[in-house]
Amino acid sequence: MAKKTVASLQTSSKRLTKAIKMVKSPKSGAYVFVESVMPPEMVNEWIAKK
């Protein structure tokens, strides 16, 4: 499974990170990419959960 932190985004006083992970679709079996923008502290937790 691929996982990568793509960019660090900075808006006003908040620092945000865009994270992308590849997840296998239960319906078709194909891989899809799931993107999310969150604080840097939450990236590892988000990537670890399925």
Side-chain angles (χ1 to χ4, degrees):
M1 182 187 303
K3 49 191 168 190
K4 183 175 184 181
T5 300
V6 174
S8 291
L9 308 172
Q10 198 163 4
T11 57
S12 63
S13 63
K14 272 189 155 181
R15 202 169 147 231
L16 301 173
T17 302
K18 181 177 182 179
I20 301 173
K21 69 178 172 180
M22 192 167 69
V23 180
K24 192 168 189 175
S25 172
K27 291 182 183 175
S28 66
Y31 285 96
V32 295
F33 293 96
V34 179
E35 298 181 10
S36 183
V37 176
M38 66 195 77
E41 302 82 36
M42 297 179 64
V43 172
N44 289 334
E45 179 184 321
W46 181 77
I47 289 176
K49 73 176 183 178
K50 290 188 174 186

